[in-house]
Amino acid sequence: MSEMTDPVVVGVSEEEKILKETVRRFAEQEIAPRAQEIDAEDVFPRDLMTSLGKLGLLGITVPEEYGGAGAGIRAQAIVVEELARVSAAVASSYAAHSNLVLDNLNRHAGPSIKEKYFPALCTGEKIGCLAITEPGAGSDAISMRCTARREGDHYILNGTKIFITNGPVADTIVVYAKTAPKQGSKGISTFVVEKEFPGFSVGRKIAKMGHRGSPFGELVFEDCRVPAENLVGEENAMVRMVLQGLHRERIVWSSEAVGIAQGAYDIARKYAVEREQFGKVLADFQMIREKLVDMALEINLGRLLVRRCAVMADMAMEGEVGLQASYAKLFTGEMAERVTSKGLHILGGYGYTKEFQIERYFRDAKAMPIGAGTSEIQRLIIARKLLE
Amino acid sequence: MDFELTEEQRIVQRNVRQFMLKEIAPVAEQIDREDKFPPNVWKAMGDLGILGVTVPEEYGGADFDLLTAVLVIEQIGRVCPALAVSYGAHANLCVDNLSRNGTDAQKRKYLPGLCSGELIGCLALTEPNAGSDALSLRTRAVKDGDYFLLNGTKMFITNAPVGDVFIVYARTANSGPLKESFTAFIVEKEFPGFQVSRALEKMGNRGSPTGEIVFEDCRVPGENVLGEINGGVNVMMGGLDVERAFFSGEPLGIAQGAFELARQYAMEREQFGKPISSFQLIKAKLADMYTEIEAARGLVYRAATLADRMQRGGKGTEVHKMAAAAMLFAAETATRVSNQALQIHGGYGYMLEYPINRYYRDSKLYEIGAGTSEIRRMLIADEILQRGLEYV
């Protein structure tokens, strides 16, 4: 399958083709040779973020006046897919930084926050992360316990966030906290926190099964003093922001799943045409062909879903995109699992060892139906929309 | 058909369960993390009497029936799949094989040490270019006086880095059908020319050492031929049905261990003000997991019982396809169940500090090792196409 030359992928523009080729070249030359080490050592390749900044990819959806490229979510989805094809860890850290922080703030923050924080985030001088999840608030995000209380010119934040991608290395932290705890979902606000703010600290780093190298950890706020001007948008208005942000996050996350699947497919295909058993190459056996075909079919479907959704988001079809993003997220997450499992299987015993790297894709894929809203939550969201 | 376990089988099951909970469960995570077993684990299993599970008592074994052996490996896999892999390679691939095919002298020489845990056993069949197509092996054995000189490379050999006794298949005839051209040998790690060239790092079943072996003019005494010269195929195929029935207990145990972790987590974890076990999507997962595990158990136990009763396995026998079906289904059940179990854990399941991710990584091996799912499907299809289902 050569998706590069696909004639009608919902109208790929010339610019998008160039973008895809550029990111692929960078990923193959600069990331691929280090992907195994990033995973094995679980070390964040900080310098790659700077390189992504130099390429203009970090602020891809941010207006040029703030140091960005002014493109849409379609472009960001392309970047994430190409990164994930060689390293899910790099793709995850990129997505947390560029989508959850930059794209999110770009849509909701005022000019002063953008002026202050965007240039350094766009170059990669600073790293960003977004903090919603708490130890007791996973799928049930609204039940978060983190609070922010107004005190003069500051808000005082207290609470613990967990499973935060980029958390342990982040300079700029976007955090959600309850400003009116009794108002449930209508009492949550968003803040930009700098790691130097008094009362902020990084808790433990958490070791994961996959996406190793993308730092992941706990953030602790103990009477953390945040200047009032770092409130994003209005007080208690987080829900609207989150709901819109989630669609965009899900599009990008789905694209990452497609990239992981594509990477696994590429390895499996190569192996299947090279490995000989019973006097012929594996690709000559029907059972292997069936696997490759099903993998390619599902990857194509996943990419189309993501692409369609991204186009809708860029056209600001807010009424439609939520449902479509959940479809994409649900399908691509589980698709990546199936595809990487089949891919590993094609490599047989070699696939199970660390040498051919496909086991990394298999481990990485299992995060896809969990993060950014589990498959179960996506099914409930979809059901709600269908039954409305 | 009797679905009840005997009193003796229950006792063995309980003893192994207790051993696993007491000795292995506390270190199971460490075994995975450090990729090695604690010292003395073989001795402890030897003391428990399970290393020679199918070996006659006169050679130091427990002489259990095959279903009892399945119960043993199932209980090991339920807590520590990695240990089950190493145990299976030792107790079945090496020890059971020696017990069935060895001469009295060979058995007296090797079995007592293998049954007590003093010696660790391995089987070396797979080569870098001979995986599913096992008969295309290229390791050669050439007669040299009273010895054979072995040359070649073996790949993915469980226990190799720590093994003492190896059953090795090597080609001994240059012409004639492939099936009649190779021989099984018993090789000791001290034989000159034998070398474990490297240990392989795996995604799962970490702790169970896997290695590559190189034979360079390795001198093996003529009396260490196992079975007949050029009769390796009988040694290899004679025990295959028993092997599949036995090994299918392993993924069955993994599925059960993963299910138990998920059940516990679902009852403890609260979201939206109630335990997640009260949500229908989670209930449905648990119900499906249970159903699949019990379906696998029925197939696995039946295959083991059948394999025990048959005088002969192999092509054309009922046990041949049933043992393959048990392994095929149990292996795919283990991957599905451990996947669902991890999913129930959500983000926590993805963290190394929760044991469920270990079951997820471990389970994938059983669709690949000891014959891939594809080879099992081919075998089953060939049998049913030629002979139908043999039901009345």
Side-chain angles (χ1 to χ4, degrees):
Chain A
M1 174 179 43
S2 83
E3 85 284 5
M4 297 284 294
T5 54
D6 198 323
V8 220
V9 186
V10 205
V12 180
S13 70
E14 198 51 41
E15 274 177 329
E16 284 171 328
K17 265 189 205 159
I18 293 169
L19 174 67
K20 191 171 176 102
E21 280 160 19
T22 307
V23 183
R24 176 164 291 200
R25 203 175 318 119
F26 172 77
E28 301 223 310
Q29 286 173 4
E30 305 297 326
I31 307 177
R34 295 164 60 184
Q36 190 164 17
E37 188 192 339
I38 290 169
D39 174 69
E41 310 285 329
D42 198 7
V43 171
F44 178 53
R46 179 67 180 79
D47 60 302
L48 286 177
M49 292 297 278
T50 314
S51 306
L52 290 168
K54 282 201 187 112
L55 284 172
L57 301 175
L58 292 180
I60 192 161
T61 62
V62 166
E64 290 175 21
E65 57 180 306
Y66 299 115
I73 211 81
R74 301 163 62 157
Q76 187 158 59
I78 289 171
V79 176
V80 169
E81 183 188 327
E82 287 304 319
L83 295 177
R85 186 176 157 271
V86 300
S87 168
V90 173
S92 282
S93 278
Y94 168 81
H97 178 99
S98 292
N99 181 266
L100 299 182
V101 175
L102 272 169
D103 183 67
N104 199 353
L105 286 180
N106 185 45
R107 294 164 56 80
H108 301 281
S112 62
I113 287 182
K114 291 183 189 176
E115 276 159 22
K116 183 163 183 199
Y117 293 105
F118 278 17
L121 287 168
C122 288
T123 58
E125 188 191 322
K126 302 257 166 145
I127 302 287
C129 76
L130 176 82
I132 307 182
T133 301
E134 297 182 6
S139 289
D140 185 11
I142 299 302
S143 72
M144 68 173 70
R145 291 198 193 140
C146 197
T147 58
R149 152 183 111 244
R150 181 80 187 228
E151 203 179 277
D153 292 344
H154 285 79
Y155 284 89
I156 310 297
L157 268 62
N158 277 289
T160 302
K161 298 289 182 181
I162 198 168
F163 301 156
I164 309 305
T165 297
N166 291 352
V169 298
D171 306 286
T172 309
I173 299 106
V174 177
V175 61
Y176 296 116
K178 284 194 168 159
T179 30
K182 287 180 189 152
Q183 289 173 208
S185 67
K186 297 198 171 74
I188 303 174
S189 305
T190 311
F191 302 90
V192 179
V193 174
E194 296 174 26
K195 72 167 181 211
E196 291 83 7
F197 285 176
F200 170 80
S201 62
V202 174
R204 67 204 170 99
K205 190 180 169 209
I206 304 170
K208 309 184 294 305
M209 175 171 80
H211 296 249
R212 292 167 62 81
S214 175
F216 203 68
E218 205 174 64
L219 304 180
V220 181
F221 301 86
E222 278 178 311
D223 287 335
C224 174
R225 288 174 66 79
V226 181
E229 68 255 28
N230 277 25
L231 171 72
V232 179
E234 292 163 31
E235 207 175 81
N236 298 332
M238 164 268 198
V239 155
R240 209 173 346 126
M241 174 171 174
V242 164
L243 292 184
Q244 286 183 10
L246 280 179
H247 308 156
R248 300 170 78 82
E249 176 189 2
R250 281 172 189 151
I251 294 168
V252 166
W253 187 261
S254 303
S255 202
E256 183 171 342
V258 173
I260 292 172
Q262 179 72 44
Y265 170 88
D266 290 343
I267 295 173
R269 182 189 175 282
K270 181 165 189 288
Y271 187 86
V273 298
E274 286 172 2
R275 169 80 169 173
E276 289 189 15
Q277 289 287 277
F278 304 101
K280 43 188 179 176
V281 293
L282 291 189
D284 285 338
F285 293 96
Q286 287 191 352
M287 284 188 202
I288 301 297
R289 285 183 177 224
E290 180 186 39
K291 281 197 171 59
L292 288 170
V293 169
D294 290 351
M295 290 160 77
L297 170 64
E298 290 208 284
I299 293 169
N300 266 313
L301 283 173
R303 185 177 290 118
L304 280 171
L305 273 179
V306 173
R307 183 95 193 135
R308 182 157 165 265
C309 217
V311 170
M312 286 170 127
D314 284 344
M315 291 169 72
M317 297 166 70
E318 299 297 346
E320 304 280 330
V321 74
L323 174 63
Q324 298 302 328
S326 284
Y327 276 139
K329 166 71 176 68
L330 176 59
F331 179 75
T332 56
E334 299 185 349
M335 176 277 280
E337 249 182 51
R338 286 189 295 267
V339 168
T340 54
S341 177
K342 284 177 183 153
L344 190 154
H345 198 96
I346 288 173
L347 271 76
Y350 288 99
Y352 201 68
T353 67
K354 300 258 172 188
E355 287 174 41
F356 279 73
Q357 302 204 36
I358 199 156
E359 62 86 30
R360 171 164 59 84
Y361 288 80
F362 178 78
R363 284 184 287 114
D364 288 343
K366 183 61 210 177
M368 306 322 286
I370 296 173
T374 60
S375 288
E376 289 69 29
I377 291 295
Q378 302 310 325
R379 287 194 165 88
L380 295 181
I381 293 170
I382 293 167
R384 199 163 58 222
K385 302 240 180 200
L386 295 179
L387 299 171
E388 248 168 24
Chain B
M1 241 186 275
D2 190 357
F3 289 105
E4 289 298 312
L5 297 180
T6 65
E7 186 54 28
E8 191 196 358
Q9 285 165 339
R10 284 184 190 287
I11 291 170
V12 173
Q13 191 181 39
R14 206 177 310 133
N15 286 347
V16 177
R17 174 70 176 158
Q18 275 162 5
F19 167 78
M20 290 306 293
L21 287 180
K22 188 157 164 274
E23 306 292 334
I24 306 298
V27 292
E29 292 300 299
Q30 187 189 333
I31 288 171
D32 178 59
R33 218 167 32 242
E34 296 176 0
D35 201 4
K36 67 167 192 257
F37 290 132
N40 301 327
V41 67
W42 288 96
K43 195 76 190 59
M45 287 199 290
D47 292 345
L48 196 61
I50 58 174
L51 289 182
V53 70
T54 53
V55 171
E57 289 178 17
E58 59 175 311
Y59 299 111
D63 204 11
F64 290 149
D65 58 26
L66 190 60
L67 179 54
T68 311
V70 165
L71 296 174
V72 170
I73 198 166
E74 178 192 339
Q75 291 306 325
I76 298 175
R78 187 175 163 194
V79 171
C80 183
L83 187 58
V85 171
S86 275
Y87 170 76
H90 174 95
N92 179 272
L93 299 182
C94 180
V95 174
D96 184 71
N97 200 335
L98 257 175
S99 177
R100 276 183 295 103
N101 297 297
T103 62
D104 185 58
Q106 289 169 340
K107 291 197 262 194
R108 289 200 187 286
K109 182 166 182 194
Y110 294 109
L111 286 178
L114 287 165
C115 291
S116 71
E118 194 188 314
L119 300 174
I120 298 178
C122 311
L123 176 91
L125 167 63
T126 301
E127 299 183 359
N129 291 309
S132 287
D133 186 11
L135 293 188
S136 71
L137 59 95
R138 287 186 200 157
T139 297
R140 301 205 151 267
V142 178
K143 190 118 170 64
D144 182 31
D146 291 341
Y147 288 84
F148 282 87
L149 291 183
L150 268 61
N151 280 288
T153 304
K154 295 290 183 181
M155 188 67 170
F156 302 140
I157 308 305
T158 298
N159 293 346
V162 297
D164 302 289
V165 179
F166 297 76
I167 294 177
V168 179
Y169 292 99
R171 196 162 296 295
T172 36
N174 292 324
S175 54
L178 279 182
K179 280 184 173 183
E180 292 158 25
S181 71
F182 66 96
T183 306
F185 296 90
I186 307 169
V187 177
E188 299 176 25
K189 72 161 183 234
E190 288 85 6
F191 287 173
F194 172 90
Q195 193 200 347
V196 175
S197 47
R198 63 186 173 133
L200 299 163
E201 210 187 333
K202 305 187 300 304
M203 171 173 78
N205 294 294
R206 294 167 62 82
S208 172
T210 310
E212 189 182 72
I213 302 172
V214 175
F215 301 91
E216 277 179 321
D217 287 337
C218 175
R219 285 171 71 79
V220 180
E223 71 244 31
N224 276 26
V225 168
L226 183 63
E228 307 281 321
I229 291 176
N230 293 330
V233 72
N234 298 323
V235 177
M236 184 194 291
M237 299 297 181
L240 260 185
D241 296 325
V242 168
E243 176 191 325
R244 290 196 183 101
F246 174 70
F247 273 99
S248 63
E250 208 169 319
L252 175 62
I254 296 181
Q256 202 171 313
F259 170 82
E260 287 164 333
L261 289 172
R263 175 181 169 276
Q264 170 125 13
Y265 184 86
M267 293 195 302
E268 287 170 2
R269 170 76 171 172
E270 290 193 7
Q271 286 291 274
F272 305 102
K274 45 189 178 177
I276 61 171
S277 61
S278 60
F279 293 99
Q280 288 195 352
L281 289 188
I282 303 295
K283 281 185 194 235
K285 280 192 176 51
L286 290 169
D288 288 350
M289 290 156 81
Y290 164 79
T291 306
E292 285 198 59
I293 290 169
E294 292 309 318
R297 188 191 308 285
L299 199 47
V300 168
Y301 288 4
R302 197 163 151 229
T305 309
L306 201 58
D308 236 2
R309 285 187 195 147
M310 306 288 280
Q311 293 295 314
R312 179 187 78 82
K315 281 186 182 169
T317 63
E318 195 184 352
V319 69
H320 195 50
K321 60 179 176 290
M322 172 118 16
M327 191 65 210
L328 173 67
F329 188 73
E332 296 190 349
T333 296
T335 49
R336 276 192 302 267
V337 167
S338 58
N339 186 359
Q340 294 300 315
L342 195 156
Q343 185 69 26
I344 287 175
H345 282 71
Y348 287 98
Y350 203 64
M351 305 304 130
L352 295 186
E353 60 198 79
Y354 278 72
I356 190 64
N357 83 87
R358 175 164 57 86
Y359 286 78
Y360 182 71
R361 286 181 285 117
D362 289 352
S363 65
K364 185 69 191 167
L365 177 68
Y366 302 88
E367 295 177 4
I368 298 168
T372 60
S373 291
E374 286 69 31
I375 294 293
R376 290 165 198 153
R377 287 195 165 90
M378 297 288 285
L379 182 161
I380 294 167
D382 288 347
E383 289 289 310
I384 55 180
L385 286 171
Q386 281 172 32
R387 295 172 188 90
L389 289 175
E390 292 168 16
Y391 284 128
V392 177

